[in-house]
Amino acid sequence: MLNHLFMSGFESGWNFFGAQVRHCKHDFAGRQQICYSLVFLFVRKLELDVFDGVDMCSSDPDRIEFSATRRRPSYQPMLLVAVAFAMGILLDRMGDLNWRFSFCSSWLCLFSWLIISRCPAIPRMEWILISLGSRFKRERVASIILLVGILFGGSFWHHGRWNWFSHDEVGRYAMEVSRPCCVEAQVVSEPLWVISDVTFGIRPEMKMNTRLLLKVSRLRDGLDWVDVGGVCDLVIHQSVNGIRSGDRIEVFGYLVKSSPPNNPGGFDYQEYYRGKAKCAVIHAYQAESVRVIESANWFTTRWISSLRQGFNELAWKYIPSPEAGFASAILLGNREQLSRVRRQRFLETGTSHLLAISGLHVGVLAGAFFCFFRFGVFSRRKSLWLTIIFVLFYAWLVEFRSPVLRASILVTLYCLGRLLGEGSFSFNLLAIAGVVVLIINPSDLFGIGPQLSFLAVASLTITADWIFGQPSVNPIQRLIAGTRSPLVRIWNWMFRQCRKAMLVSFVIWLVALPLVAYHFHLVAPVALVANPLLLMPIAFSLYGGMAVLFLGAFLPLLATLFGSLCQLSLGLVEWLVAVFQRIPLGHFWTAGPPGVSVMLFYTGAFLLFVYPKTKIQRRWLPICFVVWLVFAWLIPARWSAKESARHGGELVCTFLDVGHGSSVLLQLPDGKNVLYDSGSLGSPDSGARSIAGALWYQGVQHIDAVVISHADADHFNALPQLAKQFTIGQVYVSRMMLKDRSLQVRALLSCLDESGVEVVSVASGDRLFKSSLVSFDILSPPREGIRGNDNANSIVWMVEYGGRRILLPGDIEEEGLAQLLARKPVEIEVLMAAHHGSANSLPAKFIQWASPQYTVISCGRTRLSESMNQNFSDSKKAVFRTDRDGAVQFRFRQEGEAVVRRWKTEPW
């Protein structure tokens, strides 16, 4: 029967390919249909006889006997299917395999599998198989060939999703520099309010933006309209109402391509959005720039859009602020409605998974609904089906967002497994869920969210007997326990539940530790205690919030009561998180383990935990973990830090891209690390992430000194966060900055004092470091200061090594610039343009005075005008811009030419 079904599917698929393959080169839709059909044919054969090479359709008594034991937990055929499919995706991402090769190889393996496993024995082939030995039976060889075919199928599937975009894709009209545009598009997702941190100082201020997902149809080119396709995000930098999913809108904004990281260790937004089939973003800075042309049909998409919007409004209406945004995040997936400061608290306590709808949230809600149905008039079977319907409806309600979709697939498969008699969540179900997720979006294989989700479920599946297994108790002990008082029995029950919660928290924390440390550079031991304690408040907030969503429109009095319950629970959660954040050594920042060590950890965990032939006894696991921790993390990290500190006798100067701001990293030949400025115009966290990522990427965990040029926030507002993530020796400022009474400067000095960082004032003529190879001279300002604003009193710092000089002038202008230019001219090798290239810094005169070989402008994308850029182009010397070139690095030796590299074109 299975053979007949598969063969019928094979014949229909072959006829489909004959009609579509001729369009494969030019037709994007045809390629997508081919991909779907290919995956369908591979998934047809789910019953793989991998471990023992068994043909389930055979009448051989030995094979029939094996079929009776195939349901044992040790039989996990789909695990190998998922691994093969994932390996194909990984190979294509790393090697960019030719899609024709993957396509033909997958079909060749499929035909070979058919011939070997289904066709009558061919004498010559039988002789070849016999010559290989009894270990390689025909069924085993057929299974291996099928797995190889699935591997190439995964490669082909990923290649199509990663590289095939239509010729009229809107991203092809975008550039890295934003351009004005006018588009017509259909709104695909419900408008999402996003809270962004925008400030010129240290303490962030909140601004509400609106984010939409658009399916673009037309783009205006002059007076003509051009038909385009594809999807992109629309970011409206104001709060907008009146737009629903399904509406056709006209947008006047700025089209820009998703950019790769501009600094070492930066997040690759271009790769992230490419995995979601988005190649461009449209920014609109006024609400009036978006106009609704045609409203959606009420009976198609508008009613579900109104339902989502109504639920979100109910949450904000009945759950008092400021917990309404938190409730919307955990109920509807609107995590963006939380400020970055609040999200940072959860990140530092290892509880950030509570802010996104994960398996925990969906499982808690599904369990509550199952109990509700079960205690009613429904049977267990009907309750499971109703729970599945609820989970699918919930995923549909929140637009099948990635974390919700993953959790819904896992819970649905678990319920189906219980319906089919599966007692626990096996690796078969987990592997099927993984294959479904990868078919929907192959790029999820490289996402930290999917990785952590499946790691958590896999670790609990492996340790379920250890955590949830009931200890063997003899009848006498059971009889004695039954005579205990109710209070003692309740206490024993609560103790057992707390023990299970702590073990679950420990297992998940330990398994996720390498991945979290590698991506987020954070280790949070306090999460071992925080997660179990926060479980009950989160559960009560979910129950109360869900009651608000379902009762708010009909029973406002009850909705108010449940809203108060939700607010109290979420308030308790935030209070506990704030307490855990302040615990000493509750979390610490680290450069993280090397990528090879992370791969070694999870490969070893698979071999030692899962694979039967190499599985070891439980008592050896702590020793294996300690060995990995010492020899694969601590020692390599220490060695890497020492190697990066030596630099081979080089002075390395890296100008980081922090937007409109300034940050220069100097790595000295003797291993010291010095920062000149550390700030960015806008959010302090944005600049801190850019600087910290670059430091961790190069193995830096200690900053010997920081020089702050002057008292403008875009030159120091990232320093408080950096002081939490790194140890800092000293901070050098001018005397004028110490006398500054502005709120930003006082907040900075207070943060540095709390972190125990010494602040030292300097003036012209001072030398900051004692070094036999490198000299550091301060050219300005004098100790008495200069008349004028903060810019005039900028610290002008000259670094000399091997006869080459680097000049870092801050934002010097007016009287301070006049005094500097009145000095004797100095030949400079590398000059950082003063005041981000502003005309007030007299760039032409400054360049004439310094005669630099290289000039670096640290500026934002929209902050440098063409006329300002022309002032530097006329110098006939090399000019670099951090907004265009990314981070720029200069490596100086005592002899020889300087080595110059730009991160966007020559990453190091």
Side-chain angles (χ1 to χ4, degrees), residues 217-228:
S217 57
R218 297 204 302 169
L219 174 69
R220 197 166 75 182
D221 184 10
L223 299 178
D224 300 324
W225 287 92
V226 179
D227 292 333
V228 296

Side-chain angles (χ1 to χ4, degrees), residues 365-406:
L365 292 176
F369 272 80
F370 175 79
C371 294
F372 175 77
F373 295 138
R374 193 72 180 90
F375 292 152
V377 296
F378 298 106
S379 64
R380 176 179 175 275
R381 188 176 185 84
K382 290 181 180 179
S383 298
L384 285 172
W385 280 115
L386 290 173
T387 303
I388 292 174
I389 293 173
F390 162 74
V391 168
L392 295 178
F393 169 77
Y394 185 58
W396 179 50
L397 177 67
V398 296
E399 299 178 306
F400 293 102
R401 295 178 184 174
S402 296
V404 187
L405 181 62
R406 293 193 301 269

Side-chain angles (χ1 to χ4, degrees), residues 554-850:
F554 310 103
L555 300 171
L557 185 60
L558 282 178
T560 303
L561 178 63
F562 282 109
S564 300
L565 172 65
C566 183
Q567 181 206 16
L568 291 175
S569 301
L570 294 179
L572 177 61
V573 169
E574 294 215 69
W575 180 78
L576 288 174
V577 168
V579 171
F580 290 134
Q581 186 189 26
R582 292 191 293 268
I583 293 178
L585 300 179
H587 69 276
F588 55 90
W589 301 89
T590 175
V596 176
S597 299
V598 176
M599 295 179 62
L600 179 64
F601 177 88
Y602 291 109
T603 303
F606 174 79
L607 294 176
L608 301 179
F609 273 97
V610 181
Y611 193 62
K613 294 184 178 180
T614 56
K615 193 174 182 179
I616 63 175
Q617 295 182 2
R618 188 181 302 167
R619 66 173 181 268
W620 293 103
L621 296 179
I623 299 177
C624 294
F625 176 77
V626 172
V627 170
W628 174 85
L629 180 66
V630 174
F631 293 98
W633 184 351
L634 299 180
I635 293 179
R638 183 67 176 173
W639 178 83
S640 177
K642 288 184 177 180
E643 286 297 314
S644 63
R646 292 174 183 171
H647 307 301
E650 292 180 329
L651 171 66
V652 182
C653 176
T654 307
F655 294 83
L656 301 175
D657 177 27
V658 289
H660 186 83
S662 175
S663 183
V664 184
L665 172 63
L666 290 168
Q667 296 171 280
L668 308 184
D670 58 1
K672 292 183 178 179
N673 303 289
V674 182
L675 269 181
Y676 179 83
D677 283 343
S678 54
S680 175
L681 186 66
S683 171
D685 292 332
S686 176
R689 286 197 306 272
S690 299
I691 300 170
L695 294 175
W696 280 321
Y697 181 85
Q698 300 183 94
V700 177
Q701 300 194 74
H702 172 73
I703 304 173
D704 293 275
V706 179
V707 180
I708 300 177
S709 60
H710 63 294
D712 278 357
D714 60 329
H715 290 254
F716 66 80
N717 61 3
L719 190 54
Q721 181 63 27
L722 293 177
K724 299 177 183 178
Q725 298 172 324
F726 300 87
T727 56
I728 300 177
Q730 293 178 316
V731 174
Y732 295 94
V733 299
S734 65
R735 292 171 60 88
M736 298 300 103
M737 184 171 176
L738 282 180
K739 296 178 180 179
D740 195 298
R741 297 290 94 190
S742 63
L743 292 177
Q744 293 90 344
V745 174
R746 283 188 290 173
L748 170 67
L749 297 178
S750 175
C751 291
L752 294 177
D753 182 63
E754 292 177 2
S755 301
V757 180
E758 182 184 4
V759 179
V760 181
S761 64
V762 294
S764 59
D766 292 344
R767 291 202 169 189
L768 305 186
F769 303 103
K770 295 180 180 179
S771 176
S772 59
L773 300 176
V774 185
S775 64
F776 305 91
D777 297 310
I778 296 178
L779 305 184
S780 182
R783 194 166 299 276
E784 64 276 7
I786 298 175
R787 291 182 180 180
N789 55 21
D790 296 329
N791 294 339
N793 285 277
S794 293
I795 294 178
V796 181
W797 198 28
M798 186 171 67
V799 182
E800 184 174 354
Y801 176 68
R804 297 182 177 88
R805 300 183 182 92
I806 302 172
L807 188 64
L808 307 174
D811 282 357
I812 190 167
E813 58 182 21
E814 297 181 350
E815 184 63 27
L817 179 60
Q819 292 187 16
L820 179 65
L821 297 182
R823 299 169 64 108
K824 181 180 179 180
V826 180
E827 291 188 2
I828 302 296
E829 183 86 4
V830 179
L831 171 68
M832 184 177 74
H835 204 175
H836 319 286
S838 169
N840 294 335
S841 62
L842 307 177
K845 291 185 178 180
F846 206 154
I847 290 176
Q848 183 180 3
W849 178 82

